[in-house]
Amino acid sequence: IPPVTFRLMPYTVAVQVVEATSLSPGQRSNGLCDAYANVRLANNPRVKKRTRIVEKTLNPNWNERFYFTCDGTDTSLIFHVWDYHTVMANQRLGELEIPLSDVQHAGDNNFKLPLQRVAQGQLHVKIAITNDEPTLDKEGAEQESSESSEEEELLPASSSFPYSTGGRGSGSWPDSQETG
C-alpha cells in the first residue's frame, strides 16, 4: 500500500495596515518620526511588504492593503514599525506578531494591539483569510501584489475591506472599490 500524502490547500491572507498610534518619538530632536511599517509571514522572511513613509508624526495613517499567498504551513504575520532615517540606521519603533489561528477565530478580524518590545505605541490592522483569488479593481488591474514588490498602492479611506467570518474560504471580496 502506498503511503498517504496530504497536500495543503493554498489560501490568500489580505492584510490592511491601517495606522499606528502613540508611537515613541525615537531619537529625533523634533519629537516626531517618519514612520513606516512592514509585514511578512513568520516562516518566509524573504517576502516582505512595506507601507509608504508618513513623515513627522507619532500617529501615522497608512491604510494600505497587502496580499500573501499561503501554503498551509504559515503560522503567523509579523509586523515591524520603523522610524526612517536617511543618514543613520532606521530605528525600530515596535513589533507585533499575530498568529493566523487568531485571525480564523476572531470574528471581525480587526486588531488594535500594543506594539511589543517598546514603551508605547499601538498598531491597527485588519486581516482576512480566503480561498478566493483577489478580484480586479475598476481599471482591471489585479489587486494582489507580486511577491517581489515591497510597496503597495494606497487604498482610499472609504474602501470596504473583506472580512472573514471565521473560517478559511468564508471571506468575501468586493467586486469593486467604493469611493467616497
Side-chain angles (χ1 to χ4, degrees):
I1 297 175
V4 176
T5 58
F6 293 96
R7 184 173 166 204
L8 300 172
M9 293 291 296
Y11 57 95
T12 300
V13 176
V15 178
Q16 186 169 354
V17 181
V18 180
E19 66 183 346
T21 55
S22 304
L23 294 175
S24 296
Q27 300 172 347
R28 294 181 181 266
S29 60
N30 66 1
L32 301 173
C33 59
D34 297 339
Y36 70 93
N38 61 37
V39 58
R40 68 176 177 85
L41 294 167
N43 66 331
N44 192 351
R46 292 175 297 144
V47 180
K48 188 183 298 184
K49 313 294 180 164
R50 181 182 156 189
T51 67
R52 72 189 188 288
I53 298 166
V54 178
E55 297 178 347
K56 299 178 183 172
T57 184
L58 297 178
N59 301 296
N61 187 329
W62 297 291
N63 204 29
E64 295 184 48
R65 190 182 305 172
F66 306 102
Y67 297 91
F68 294 91
T69 300
C70 300
D71 63 7
T73 63
D74 302 295
T75 58
S76 61
L77 291 165
I78 297 178
F79 299 85
H80 289 104
V81 179
W82 296 89
D83 184 7
Y84 176 79
H85 294 279
T86 55
V87 177
M88 53 194 247
N90 296 340
Q91 180 183 4
R92 185 179 297 182
L93 298 175
E95 62 186 63
L96 179 63
E97 184 169 355
I98 299 177
L100 291 177
S101 60
D102 289 357
V103 175
Q104 296 171 7
H105 304 293
D108 69 359
N109 298 324
N110 191 15
F111 296 89
K112 292 181 182 178
L113 299 170
L115 291 168
Q116 300 165 353
R117 300 181 194 236
V118 290
Q120 65 185 49
Q122 185 176 43
L123 186 64
H124 178 194
V125 297
K126 297 178 183 179
I127 305 169
I129 296 177
T130 182
N131 286 335
D132 302 329
E133 294 293 322
T135 60
L136 301 180
D137 65 14
K138 289 180 182 177
E139 289 77 37
E142 191 174 31
Q143 293 179 346
E144 179 175 346
S145 67
S146 68
E147 292 192 0
S148 62
S149 172
E150 286 197 289
E151 200 156 337
E152 295 296 317
E153 200 171 73
L154 175 66
L155 294 173
S158 61
S159 292
S160 60
F161 185 80
Y163 291 97
S164 170
T165 57
R168 291 184 183 164
S170 59
S172 62
W173 295 93
D175 290 332
S176 63
Q177 296 293 321
E178 299 173 6
T179 56

